Amino acid sequence: MGNEVVFDQCASVLSNLLRECGGVGVIDGGLATELERHGADLNDPLWSAKCLICSPQLVRQVHLDYLEAGADIIISASYQATIQGFVSKGLTAEDGEALLRRSVEIACEAREIYWERYDLLNPGVPNRRPILVAASVGSYGAYLADGSEYSGDYGESVTLETLKNFHRRRVQVLAGSGADIIAFETTPNKLETQAYAEILEEENINIPAWFSFNSKDGIDLVSGDSLLDCATIADSCKKVVAVGINCTPPRFIHGLISSIKKVTRKPILIYPNSGETYDGDRKEWVESTGVSDDDFVSYVSKWREAGASLIGGCCRTTPSTIKAICKALSK
Ligand SMILES: [Zn+2]
């Protein structure tokens, strides 16, 4: 297939969804933290990817809960699923690749169950609503599980090539897994943004991607790298169809949308966390620091007005947050 055809196909995946959703789509909420709320123990270097091995049916149920809550896009449990991470657990690289594919398959199964229920409840009404499955790619720091996911500081020895070599095979496998889009999430720095863009351009990746950055000051990425620079890289990459922010406190989102808008006309996506802070030493969330579903929702129309086209939640948001977002958008 010629490059231009691939680019057109990539662009239409999201534009079709947005058209059918009346210009604004809803992304799901936190996956890992929701698995934990249901009792999963994620204290493991594989984090939520551990559930791909131990409790795939719980992962499918959480995807289904988000669809029932109204999400138009569900994100697979591959955030911290890496071939290297599975190999350190004693699996073969082939098993690791199979688990990556499985993460997308589980999300697709949830979509199928959801659609079948719709058919049962609405016999003869052939109008299943469109749902996209996004294959999650977390950062190199998420794989290291040493906190660098939230500092973006990988040290001098990690180069662009290190990051490209780390991510390449996973991205290839996820691109061929049946997912509709690749979600590069919680991206902490510019080097990794560059690595993602180069992989998408150099490899024959024929599904679109979104780039989502993580900020802790409401201005730049967690590493201190310029959001404008990183969003510009995303803007220049033809396979990237949306750019935005995730896992960042709600209070910072409005300003971040305005910044991104300065450098791209691509759809802007945002899926903030609950605003709670994570205590890395105790390995737990500090509840009192967050916002309630009602507070979260009071932001939604402002984010929409500021220019966000895809809105959802990240860590510690739940299906009830997503339901409230849908309500605020009167979907
Ligand atoms: Zn998160």
Side-chain angles (χ1 to χ4, degrees):
M1 224 184 314
N3 265 346
E4 293 307 322
V5 179
V6 172
F7 296 146
D8 286 350
Q9 283 179 353
C10 284
S12 64
V13 169
L14 193 61
S15 55
N16 288 346
L17 181 89
L18 287 174
R19 198 183 46 246
E20 299 211 33
C21 292
V24 59
V26 176
I27 303 175
D28 64 6
L31 178 62
T33 52
E34 187 61 10
L35 292 166
E36 273 182 323
R37 210 166 65 89
H38 285 278
D41 173 10
L42 304 188
N43 190 4
D44 187 281
L46 291 178
W47 201 39
S48 53
K50 187 183 150 194
C51 292
L52 295 172
I53 304 173
C54 308
S55 34
Q57 62 304 334
L58 177 60
V59 178
R60 191 170 51 220
Q61 185 56 48
V62 171
H63 287 315
L64 198 50
D65 292 345
Y66 279 123
L67 291 174
E68 304 278 4
D72 302 305
I73 303 181
I74 50 175
I75 307 175
S76 70
S78 47
Y79 179 79
Q80 213 142 305
T82 61
I83 299 163
Q84 298 86 337
F86 289 129
V87 167
S88 338
K89 288 268 171 189
L91 276 69
T92 63
E94 289 69 32
D95 290 341
E97 292 186 10
L99 281 166
L100 281 173
R101 288 189 201 94
R102 185 77 191 114
S103 71
V104 171
E105 218 171 75
I106 292 169
C108 292
E109 285 167 11
R111 172 170 65 181
E112 205 47 52
I113 295 169
Y114 177 83
W115 274 335
E116 279 168 13
R117 281 189 193 161
Y118 174 90
D119 290 346
L120 268 177
L121 292 169
N122 303 276
V125 186
N127 196 15
R128 294 172 161 197
R129 68 183 178 93
I131 292 164
L132 297 184
V133 169
S136 172
V137 173
S139 66
Y140 178 59
Y143 152 75
L144 294 176
D146 64 353
S148 57
E149 171 188 13
Y150 296 108
S151 68
D153 182 1
Y154 297 154
E156 298 280 299
S157 62
V158 172
T159 63
L160 183 64
E161 281 312 308
T162 319
L163 294 178
K164 284 169 72 177
N165 290 337
F166 174 76
H167 285 293
R168 186 176 290 107
R169 183 65 194 146
R170 173 161 65 148
V171 171
Q172 286 171 334
V173 171
L174 289 173
S177 66
D180 301 295
I181 187 164
I182 303 177
F184 293 97
E185 307 186 273
T186 332
T187 307
N189 65 33
K190 186 172 165 184
L191 196 64
E192 199 146 30
T193 308
Q194 192 71 44
Y196 293 152
E198 291 189 16
I199 290 174
L200 290 177
E201 312 226 308
E202 291 163 8
E203 303 301 323
N204 218 357
I205 305 299
N206 55 9
I207 61 172
W210 80 47
F211 280 11
S212 183
F213 303 107
N214 190 10
S215 174
K216 59 186 170 199
D217 62 1
I219 299 167
D220 285 316
L221 269 57
V222 290
S223 56
D225 289 346
S226 153
L227 172 61
L228 292 181
D229 287 358
C230 294
T232 301
I233 294 172
D235 184 63
S236 317
C237 183
K238 287 192 176 166
K239 287 177 190 163
V240 173
V241 295
V243 188
I245 299 286
N246 75 292
C247 216
T248 295
R251 65 181 187 282
F252 292 142
I253 297 296
H254 196 280
L256 293 164
I257 296 172
S258 309
S259 297
I260 295 173
K261 234 173 42 184
K262 289 188 190 139
V263 294
T264 188
R265 299 178 65 184
K266 293 183 182 182
I268 295 177
L269 58 95
I270 51 120
Y271 48 115
N273 59 27
S274 65
E276 289 159 284
T277 37
Y278 186 72
D279 182 335
D281 297 331
R282 293 170 160 227
K283 291 200 183 337
E284 61 189 28
W285 292 85
V286 186
E287 272 189 33
S288 58
T289 52
V291 298
S292 67
D293 284 346
D294 287 343
D295 293 342
F296 195 101
V297 157
S298 68
Y299 284 109
V300 168
S301 57
K302 294 181 192 119
W303 295 335
R304 177 81 189 110
E305 280 159 29
S309 309
L310 291 164
I311 300 177
C314 204
C315 294
R316 299 282 281 180
T317 63
T318 70
S320 88
T321 320
I322 298 311
K323 220 180 258 172
I325 292 174
C326 292
K327 200 168 152 213
L329 295 169
S330 42
K331 282 168 78 78

